[in-house]
Amino acid sequence: ERAHALFHDLPVRDVALWNALMTGYSENGMDENVCIFLEEMQLEGVNPDHETFACCVRACGSLEDGVKGQELHIEMSKKGFNDEVISSILVDMYGKCCLLPEAHNVFSKMEDQNVVSWTSLIAGYTNHDYGEEALACFEEMQSKGISPNSVTFICVLKACGSIQSIDKGSQIHHQIVRLNLLENDIIVGSALVDMYAKHGFLEKAEDLFDQISSRDTMAWNALISGYA
């Protein structure tokens, strides 16, 4: 509220100030305001820049507003905002909005398909119960020499749980152990416990649970849900 009041007291509001206001609202979970601000700034004759569009597309992803997200995509294309950062944000937005063909289309045109963009695509498939597609992307990503990160592993373990693929889950488990992520990353460890518990391998799940050095609510919930 204080930021907004100061903003309106300023005699001249340029794109940097609008971006600061939008980012503040977005980072505090008030994404519904972000696209409204975009319309207001354009009515004042201020042209959005790269940062403005990035913030608005992220907000659309959080709100799962694919219609507005597509409108922004068209507007950005007309203005020539087609770099790798924007493309990665678009992949993430389309994935969250369950517009997976659109996500894959943007992704396929990217020259630098890095671990972040791959993980955004995998997460889109995983979160909308397309486990087979998520695992296929995971395999393709690794075949191209791109190493998964913790978020990638969490997504593919969730995919394994959704399609009941214990064999693939075990393979991923071995990768995680080789990378020393089990003991050092509690979220990855909890995801492994959850995957084994969902398959009914409760002894294995509890054994992994015991290996997690600092167990939080997520780890306990994964084990309790498995037994339940």
Side-chain angles (χ1 to χ4, degrees):
E1 290 176 4
R2 181 64 176 155
H4 208 143
L6 284 167
F7 177 82
H8 280 291
D9 286 342
L10 294 166
V12 179
R13 295 186 286 266
D14 62 8
V15 66
L17 285 168
W18 279 103
N19 289 344
L21 186 68
M22 290 181 185
T23 302
Y25 271 81
S26 181
E27 289 178 351
N28 285 280
M30 302 174 72
D31 291 293
E32 64 276 3
N33 295 85
V34 174
C35 290
I36 295 172
F37 292 148
L38 174 64
E39 293 176 7
E40 289 180 5
M41 73 179 282
Q42 288 175 311
L43 286 172
E44 287 191 9
V46 180
N47 290 320
D49 64 7
H50 184 282
E51 186 180 341
T52 317
F53 281 118
C55 184
C56 291
V57 172
R58 287 193 189 98
C60 289
S62 298
L63 297 169
E64 297 183 10
D65 187 349
V67 174
K68 183 63 179 178
Q70 285 181 307
E71 290 176 5
L72 289 172
H73 186 184
I74 292 167
E75 189 174 351
M76 285 188 294
S77 296
K78 289 177 179 177
K79 292 180 181 291
F81 293 115
N82 295 311
D83 62 80
E84 299 297 293
V85 174
I86 286 290
S87 294
S88 188
I89 295 169
L90 282 167
V91 171
D92 182 66
M93 181 274 293
Y94 280 130
K96 287 176 178 174
C97 296
C98 199
L99 295 170
L100 298 169
E102 287 82 354
H104 211 128
N105 183 48
V106 173
F107 178 80
S108 66
K109 294 175 182 176
M110 294 178 66
E111 293 183 10
D112 179 24
Q113 296 171 340
N114 58 27
V115 65
V116 175
S117 53
W118 273 107
T119 301
S120 294
L121 187 63
I122 291 167
Y125 282 116
T126 298
N127 292 332
H128 296 286
D129 296 324
Y130 291 94
E132 296 284 357
E133 289 82 355
L135 291 172
C137 287
F138 181 65
E139 293 289 345
E140 186 180 352
M141 167 185 149
Q142 292 186 104
S143 73
K144 294 186 176 182
I146 299 171
S147 299
N149 60 22
S150 296
V151 181
T152 321
F153 281 123
I154 291 164
C155 291
V156 292
L157 286 170
K158 183 178 177 182
C160 290
S162 68
I163 63 172
Q164 298 292 298
S165 179
I166 188 64
D167 291 338
K168 186 61 184 174
S170 297
Q171 291 173 24
I172 294 167
H173 178 187
H174 292 311
Q175 279 186 266
I176 290 168
V177 170
R178 285 199 303 271
L179 294 169
N180 293 319
L181 288 175
L182 182 58
E183 294 180 1
N184 299 325
D185 194 313
I186 188 171
I187 302 176
V188 172
S190 299
L192 261 176
V193 171
D194 184 62
M195 188 269 295
Y196 279 114
K198 280 179 176 172
H199 283 93
F201 289 82
L202 298 171
E203 190 173 324
K204 183 69 173 176
E206 188 165 350
D207 180 56
L208 282 166
F209 177 82
D210 290 337
Q211 294 177 45
I212 299 174
S213 57
S214 179
R215 298 185 285 267
D216 64 358
T217 307
M218 187 183 301
W220 279 105
N221 286 349
L223 190 64
I224 291 167
S225 296
Y227 277 103

mmCIF file with all atom_site columns, all heavy atoms in Angstrom, residues 168-184:
data_model
loop_
_atom_site.group_PDB
_atom_site.id
_atom_site.type_symbol
_atom_site.label_atom_id
_atom_site.label_alt_id
_atom_site.label_comp_id
_atom_site.label_asym_id
_atom_site.label_entity_id
_atom_site.label_seq_id
_atom_site.pdbx_PDB_ins_code
_atom_site.Cartn_x
_atom_site.Cartn_y
_atom_site.Cartn_z
_atom_site.occupancy
_atom_site.B_iso_or_equiv
_atom_site.pdbx_formal_charge
_atom_site.auth_seq_id
_atom_site.auth_comp_id
_atom_site.auth_asym_id
_atom_site.auth_atom_id
_atom_site.pdbx_PDB_model_num
ATOM 1   N N   . LYS A 1 168 ? 11.499 -47.254 -13.502 1.00 0.00 ? 168 LYS A N   1
ATOM 2   C CA  . LYS A 1 168 ? 12.077 -45.970 -13.862 1.00 0.00 ? 168 LYS A CA  1
ATOM 3   C C   . LYS A 1 168 ? 12.408 -45.162 -12.610 1.00 0.00 ? 168 LYS A C   1
ATOM 4   O O   . LYS A 1 168 ? 13.449 -44.495 -12.535 1.00 0.00 ? 168 LYS A O   1
ATOM 5   C CB  . LYS A 1 168 ? 11.116 -45.183 -14.757 1.00 0.00 ? 168 LYS A CB  1
ATOM 6   C CG  . LYS A 1 168 ? 11.708 -43.885 -15.303 1.00 0.00 ? 168 LYS A CG  1
ATOM 7   C CD  . LYS A 1 168 ? 12.928 -44.145 -16.150 1.00 0.00 ? 168 LYS A CD  1
ATOM 8   C CE  . LYS A 1 168 ? 13.574 -42.858 -16.611 1.00 0.00 ? 168 LYS A CE  1
ATOM 9   N NZ  . LYS A 1 168 ? 14.840 -43.102 -17.326 1.00 0.00 ? 168 LYS A NZ  1
ATOM 10  N N   . GLY A 1 169 ? 11.544 -45.254 -11.620 1.00 0.00 ? 169 GLY A N   1
ATOM 11  C CA  . GLY A 1 169 ? 11.793 -44.552 -10.367 1.00 0.00 ? 169 GLY A CA  1
ATOM 12  C C   . GLY A 1 169 ? 13.064 -45.032 -9.690  1.00 0.00 ? 169 GLY A C   1
ATOM 13  O O   . GLY A 1 169 ? 13.832 -44.226 -9.145  1.00 0.00 ? 169 GLY A O   1
ATOM 14  N N   . SER A 1 170 ? 13.326 -46.318 -9.747  1.00 0.00 ? 170 SER A N   1
ATOM 15  C CA  . SER A 1 170 ? 14.540 -46.879 -9.156  1.00 0.00 ? 170 SER A CA  1
ATOM 16  C C   . SER A 1 170 ? 15.785 -46.396 -9.888  1.00 0.00 ? 170 SER A C   1
ATOM 17  O O   . SER A 1 170 ? 16.813 -46.110 -9.274  1.00 0.00 ? 170 SER A O   1
ATOM 18  C CB  . SER A 1 170 ? 14.479 -48.412 -9.175  1.00 0.00 ? 170 SER A CB  1
ATOM 19  O OG  . SER A 1 170 ? 13.420 -48.885 -8.379  1.00 0.00 ? 170 SER A OG  1
ATOM 20  N N   . GLN A 1 171 ? 15.690 -46.299 -11.224 1.00 0.00 ? 171 GLN A N   1
ATOM 21  C CA  . GLN A 1 171 ? 16.814 -45.791 -12.012 1.00 0.00 ? 171 GLN A CA  1
ATOM 22  C C   . GLN A 1 171 ? 17.141 -44.349 -11.624 1.00 0.00 ? 171 GLN A C   1
ATOM 23  O O   . GLN A 1 171 ? 18.314 -43.975 -11.470 1.00 0.00 ? 171 GLN A O   1
ATOM 24  C CB  . GLN A 1 171 ? 16.490 -45.865 -13.499 1.00 0.00 ? 171 GLN A CB  1
ATOM 25  C CG  . GLN A 1 171 ? 16.403 -47.277 -14.063 1.00 0.00 ? 171 GLN A CG  1
ATOM 26  C CD  . GLN A 1 171 ? 15.910 -47.272 -15.507 1.00 0.00 ? 171 GLN A CD  1
ATOM 27  O OE1 . GLN A 1 171 ? 16.036 -46.280 -16.222 1.00 0.00 ? 171 GLN A OE1 1
ATOM 28  N NE2 . GLN A 1 171 ? 15.331 -48.387 -15.931 1.00 0.00 ? 171 GLN A NE2 1
ATOM 29  N N   . ILE A 1 172 ? 16.087 -43.560 -11.463 1.00 0.00 ? 172 ILE A N   1
ATOM 30  C CA  . ILE A 1 172 ? 16.283 -42.161 -11.082 1.00 0.00 ? 172 ILE A CA  1
ATOM 31  C C   . ILE A 1 172 ? 16.858 -42.066 -9.670  1.00 0.00 ? 172 ILE A C   1
ATOM 32  O O   . ILE A 1 172 ? 17.707 -41.222 -9.376  1.00 0.00 ? 172 ILE A O   1
ATOM 33  C CB  . ILE A 1 172 ? 14.950 -41.387 -11.197 1.00 0.00 ? 172 ILE A CB  1
ATOM 34  C CG1 . ILE A 1 172 ? 14.527 -41.323 -12.668 1.00 0.00 ? 172 ILE A CG1 1
ATOM 35  C CG2 . ILE A 1 172 ? 15.071 -39.979 -10.619 1.00 0.00 ? 172 ILE A CG2 1
ATOM 36  C CD1 . ILE A 1 172 ? 13.105 -40.876 -12.877 1.00 0.00 ? 172 ILE A CD1 1
ATOM 37  N N   . HIS A 1 173 ? 16.417 -42.981 -8.795  1.00 0.00 ? 173 HIS A N   1
ATOM 38  C CA  . HIS A 1 173 ? 16.948 -43.052 -7.433  1.00 0.00 ? 173 HIS A CA  1
ATOM 39  C C   . HIS A 1 173 ? 18.472 -43.226 -7.467  1.00 0.00 ? 173 HIS A C   1
ATOM 40  O O   . HIS A 1 173 ? 19.200 -42.535 -6.755  1.00 0.00 ? 173 HIS A O   1
ATOM 41  C CB  . HIS A 1 173 ? 16.286 -44.219 -6.699  1.00 0.00 ? 173 HIS A CB  1
ATOM 42  C CG  . HIS A 1 173 ? 16.780 -44.436 -5.310  1.00 0.00 ? 173 HIS A CG  1
ATOM 43  N ND1 . HIS A 1 173 ? 16.405 -45.519 -4.556  1.00 0.00 ? 173 HIS A ND1 1
ATOM 44  C CD2 . HIS A 1 173 ? 17.641 -43.711 -4.525  1.00 0.00 ? 173 HIS A CD2 1
ATOM 45  C CE1 . HIS A 1 173 ? 17.000 -45.457 -3.378  1.00 0.00 ? 173 HIS A CE1 1
ATOM 46  N NE2 . HIS A 1 173 ? 17.756 -44.369 -3.343  1.00 0.00 ? 173 HIS A NE2 1
ATOM 47  N N   . HIS A 1 174 ? 18.968 -44.127 -8.314  1.00 0.00 ? 174 HIS A N   1
ATOM 48  C CA  . HIS A 1 174 ? 20.412 -44.373 -8.414  1.00 0.00 ? 174 HIS A CA  1
ATOM 49  C C   . HIS A 1 174 ? 21.148 -43.118 -8.899  1.00 0.00 ? 174 HIS A C   1
ATOM 50  O O   . HIS A 1 174 ? 22.256 -42.816 -8.433  1.00 0.00 ? 174 HIS A O   1
ATOM 51  C CB  . HIS A 1 174 ? 20.690 -45.544 -9.346  1.00 0.00 ? 174 HIS A CB  1
ATOM 52  C CG  . HIS A 1 174 ? 20.213 -46.861 -8.803  1.00 0.00 ? 174 HIS A CG  1
ATOM 53  N ND1 . HIS A 1 174 ? 20.500 -47.276 -7.514  1.00 0.00 ? 174 HIS A ND1 1
ATOM 54  C CD2 . HIS A 1 174 ? 19.483 -47.856 -9.358  1.00 0.00 ? 174 HIS A CD2 1
ATOM 55  C CE1 . HIS A 1 174 ? 19.960 -48.469 -7.304  1.00 0.00 ? 174 HIS A CE1 1
ATOM 56  N NE2 . HIS A 1 174 ? 19.333 -48.846 -8.409  1.00 0.00 ? 174 HIS A NE2 1
ATOM 57  N N   . GLN A 1 175 ? 20.521 -42.383 -9.832  1.00 0.00 ? 175 GLN A N   1
ATOM 58  C CA  . GLN A 1 175 ? 21.130 -41.129 -10.297 1.00 0.00 ? 175 GLN A CA  1
ATOM 59  C C   . GLN A 1 175 ? 21.252 -40.134 -9.151  1.00 0.00 ? 175 GLN A C   1
ATOM 60  O O   . GLN A 1 175 ? 22.280 -39.466 -8.996  1.00 0.00 ? 175 GLN A O   1
ATOM 61  C CB  . GLN A 1 175 ? 20.278 -40.499 -11.402 1.00 0.00 ? 175 GLN A CB  1
ATOM 62  C CG  . GLN A 1 175 ? 20.477 -41.066 -12.786 1.00 0.00 ? 175 GLN A CG  1
ATOM 63  C CD  . GLN A 1 175 ? 19.697 -40.255 -13.815 1.00 0.00 ? 175 GLN A CD  1
ATOM 64  O OE1 . GLN A 1 175 ? 18.581 -40.590 -14.160 1.00 0.00 ? 175 GLN A OE1 1
ATOM 65  N NE2 . GLN A 1 175 ? 20.296 -39.191 -14.299 1.00 0.00 ? 175 GLN A NE2 1
ATOM 66  N N   . ILE A 1 176 ? 20.207 -40.036 -8.366  1.00 0.00 ? 176 ILE A N   1
ATOM 67  C CA  . ILE A 1 176 ? 20.183 -39.102 -7.236  1.00 0.00 ? 176 ILE A CA  1
ATOM 68  C C   . ILE A 1 176 ? 21.271 -39.444 -6.227  1.00 0.00 ? 176 ILE A C   1
ATOM 69  O O   . ILE A 1 176 ? 21.960 -38.564 -5.693  1.00 0.00 ? 176 ILE A O   1
ATOM 70  C CB  . ILE A 1 176 ? 18.784 -39.096 -6.581  1.00 0.00 ? 176 ILE A CB  1
ATOM 71  C CG1 . ILE A 1 176 ? 17.775 -38.432 -7.523  1.00 0.00 ? 176 ILE A CG1 1
ATOM 72  C CG2 . ILE A 1 176 ? 18.808 -38.396 -5.228  1.00 0.00 ? 176 ILE A CG2 1
ATOM 73  C CD1 . ILE A 1 176 ? 16.328 -38.626 -7.121  1.00 0.00 ? 176 ILE A CD1 1
ATOM 74  N N   . VAL A 1 177 ? 21.444 -40.747 -5.968  1.00 0.00 ? 177 VAL A N   1
ATOM 75  C CA  . VAL A 1 177 ? 22.481 -41.184 -5.032  1.00 0.00 ? 177 VAL A CA  1
ATOM 76  C C   . VAL A 1 177 ? 23.864 -40.824 -5.561  1.00 0.00 ? 177 VAL A C   1
ATOM 77  O O   . VAL A 1 177 ? 24.726 -40.333 -4.819  1.00 0.00 ? 177 VAL A O   1
ATOM 78  C CB  . VAL A 1 177 ? 22.370 -42.708 -4.781  1.00 0.00 ? 177 VAL A CB  1
ATOM 79  C CG1 . VAL A 1 177 ? 23.581 -43.211 -4.002  1.00 0.00 ? 177 VAL A CG1 1
ATOM 80  C CG2 . VAL A 1 177 ? 21.088 -43.025 -4.022  1.00 0.00 ? 177 VAL A CG2 1
ATOM 81  N N   . ARG A 1 178 ? 24.081 -41.053 -6.866  1.00 0.00 ? 178 ARG A N   1
ATOM 82  C CA  . ARG A 1 178 ? 25.383 -40.744 -7.469  1.00 0.00 ? 178 ARG A CA  1
ATOM 83  C C   . ARG A 1 178 ? 25.721 -39.254 -7.355  1.00 0.00 ? 178 ARG A C   1
ATOM 84  O O   . ARG A 1 178 ? 26.882 -38.868 -7.255  1.00 0.00 ? 178 ARG A O   1
ATOM 85  C CB  . ARG A 1 178 ? 25.411 -41.158 -8.943  1.00 0.00 ? 178 ARG A CB  1
ATOM 86  C CG  . ARG A 1 178 ? 25.528 -42.651 -9.161  1.00 0.00 ? 178 ARG A CG  1
ATOM 87  C CD  . ARG A 1 178 ? 26.014 -42.971 -10.568 1.00 0.00 ? 178 ARG A CD  1
ATOM 88  N NE  . ARG A 1 178 ? 25.168 -42.404 -11.600 1.00 0.00 ? 178 ARG A NE  1
ATOM 89  C CZ  . ARG A 1 178 ? 24.109 -43.022 -12.120 1.00 0.00 ? 178 ARG A CZ  1
ATOM 90  N NH1 . ARG A 1 178 ? 23.757 -44.227 -11.680 1.00 0.00 ? 178 ARG A NH1 1
ATOM 91  N NH2 . ARG A 1 178 ? 23.401 -42.443 -13.075 1.00 0.00 ? 178 ARG A NH2 1
ATOM 92  N N   . LEU A 1 179 ? 24.700 -38.423 -7.393  1.00 0.00 ? 179 LEU A N   1
ATOM 93  C CA  . LEU A 1 179 ? 24.900 -36.969 -7.319  1.00 0.00 ? 179 LEU A CA  1
ATOM 94  C C   . LEU A 1 179 ? 24.879 -36.442 -5.885  1.00 0.00 ? 179 LEU A C   1
ATOM 95  O O   . LEU A 1 179 ? 24.931 -35.232 -5.669  1.00 0.00 ? 179 LEU A O   1
ATOM 96  C CB  . LEU A 1 179 ? 23.814 -36.258 -8.144  1.00 0.00 ? 179 LEU A CB  1
ATOM 97  C CG  . LEU A 1 179 ? 23.867 -36.502 -9.656  1.00 0.00 ? 179 LEU A CG  1
ATOM 98  C CD1 . LEU A 1 179 ? 22.602 -35.983 -10.322 1.00 0.00 ? 179 LEU A CD1 1
ATOM 99  C CD2 . LEU A 1 179 ? 25.100 -35.837 -10.264 1.00 0.00 ? 179 LEU A CD2 1
ATOM 100 N N   . ASN A 1 180 ? 24.771 -37.363 -4.897  1.00 0.00 ? 180 ASN A N   1
ATOM 101 C CA  . ASN A 1 180 ? 24.754 -36.988 -3.471  1.00 0.00 ? 180 ASN A CA  1
ATOM 102 C C   . ASN A 1 180 ? 23.612 -36.039 -3.113  1.00 0.00 ? 180 ASN A C   1
ATOM 103 O O   . ASN A 1 180 ? 23.750 -35.186 -2.234  1.00 0.00 ? 180 ASN A O   1
ATOM 104 C CB  . ASN A 1 180 ? 26.092 -36.353 -3.063  1.00 0.00 ? 180 ASN A CB  1
ATOM 105 C CG  . ASN A 1 180 ? 27.235 -37.340 -3.106  1.00 0.00 ? 180 ASN A CG  1
ATOM 106 O OD1 . ASN A 1 180 ? 27.075 -38.499 -2.707  1.00 0.00 ? 180 ASN A OD1 1
ATOM 107 N ND2 . ASN A 1 180 ? 28.379 -36.908 -3.603  1.00 0.00 ? 180 ASN A ND2 1
ATOM 108 N N   . LEU A 1 181 ? 22.479 -36.184 -3.803  1.00 0.00 ? 181 LEU A N   1
ATOM 109 C CA  . LEU A 1 181 ? 21.347 -35.302 -3.535  1.00 0.00 ? 181 LEU A CA  1
ATOM 110 C C   . LEU A 1 181 ? 20.451 -35.817 -2.415  1.00 0.00 ? 181 LEU A C   1
ATOM 111 O O   . LEU A 1 181 ? 19.714 -35.050 -1.806  1.00 0.00 ? 181 LEU A O   1
ATOM 112 C CB  . LEU A 1 181 ? 20.507 -35.114 -4.808  1.00 0.00 ? 181 LEU A CB  1
ATOM 113 C CG  . LEU A 1 181 ? 21.110 -34.260 -5.910  1.00 0.00 ? 181 LEU A CG  1
ATOM 114 C CD1 . LEU A 1 181 ? 20.216 -34.282 -7.139  1.00 0.00 ? 181 LEU A CD1 1
ATOM 115 C CD2 . LEU A 1 181 ? 21.309 -32.828 -5.444  1.00 0.00 ? 181 LEU A CD2 1
ATOM 116 N N   . LEU A 1 182 ? 20.507 -37.115 -2.165  1.00 0.00 ? 182 LEU A N   1
ATOM 117 C CA  . LEU A 1 182 ? 19.593 -37.704 -1.181  1.00 0.00 ? 182 LEU A CA  1
ATOM 118 C C   . LEU A 1 182 ? 19.800 -37.109 0.210   1.00 0.00 ? 182 LEU A C   1
ATOM 119 O O   . LEU A 1 182 ? 18.842 -36.726 0.885   1.00 0.00 ? 182 LEU A O   1
ATOM 120 C CB  . LEU A 1 182 ? 19.770 -39.221 -1.140  1.00 0.00 ? 182 LEU A CB  1
ATOM 121 C CG  . LEU A 1 182 ? 18.846 -39.983 -0.181  1.00 0.00 ? 182 LEU A CG  1
ATOM 122 C CD1 . LEU A 1 182 ? 17.388 -39.712 -0.525  1.00 0.00 ? 182 LEU A CD1 1
ATOM 123 C CD2 . LEU A 1 182 ? 19.140 -41.466 -0.210  1.00 0.00 ? 182 LEU A CD2 1
ATOM 124 N N   . GLU A 1 183 ? 21.043 -37.015 0.633   1.00 0.00 ? 183 GLU A N   1
ATOM 125 C CA  . GLU A 1 183 ? 21.322 -36.515 1.975   1.00 0.00 ? 183 GLU A CA  1
ATOM 126 C C   . GLU A 1 183 ? 21.318 -34.992 2.034   1.00 0.00 ? 183 GLU A C   1
ATOM 127 O O   . GLU A 1 183 ? 21.037 -34.407 3.076   1.00 0.00 ? 183 GLU A O   1
ATOM 128 C CB  . GLU A 1 183 ? 22.674 -37.048 2.453   1.00 0.00 ? 183 GLU A CB  1
ATOM 129 C CG  . GLU A 1 183 ? 22.695 -38.566 2.639   1.00 0.00 ? 183 GLU A CG  1
ATOM 130 C CD  . GLU A 1 183 ? 24.049 -39.058 3.113   1.00 0.00 ? 183 GLU A CD  1
ATOM 131 O OE1 . GLU A 1 183 ? 24.946 -38.211 3.301   1.00 0.00 ? 183 GLU A OE1 1
ATOM 132 O OE2 . GLU A 1 183 ? 24.203 -40.275 3.275   1.00 0.00 ? 183 GLU A OE2 1
ATOM 133 N N   . ASN A 1 184 ? 21.650 -34.367 0.900   1.00 0.00 ? 184 ASN A N   1
ATOM 134 C CA  . ASN A 1 184 ? 21.828 -32.908 0.908   1.00 0.00 ? 184 ASN A CA  1
ATOM 135 C C   . ASN A 1 184 ? 20.597 -32.112 0.496   1.00 0.00 ? 184 ASN A C   1
ATOM 136 O O   . ASN A 1 184 ? 20.555 -30.903 0.695   1.00 0.00 ? 184 ASN A O   1
ATOM 137 C CB  . ASN A 1 184 ? 22.997 -32.523 -0.017  1.00 0.00 ? 184 ASN A CB  1
ATOM 138 C CG  . ASN A 1 184 ? 24.308 -33.147 0.427   1.00 0.00 ? 184 ASN A CG  1
ATOM 139 O OD1 . ASN A 1 184 ? 24.543 -33.296 1.613   1.00 0.00 ? 184 ASN A OD1 1
ATOM 140 N ND2 . ASN A 1 184 ? 25.147 -33.529 -0.520  1.00 0.00 ? 184 ASN A ND2 1
#
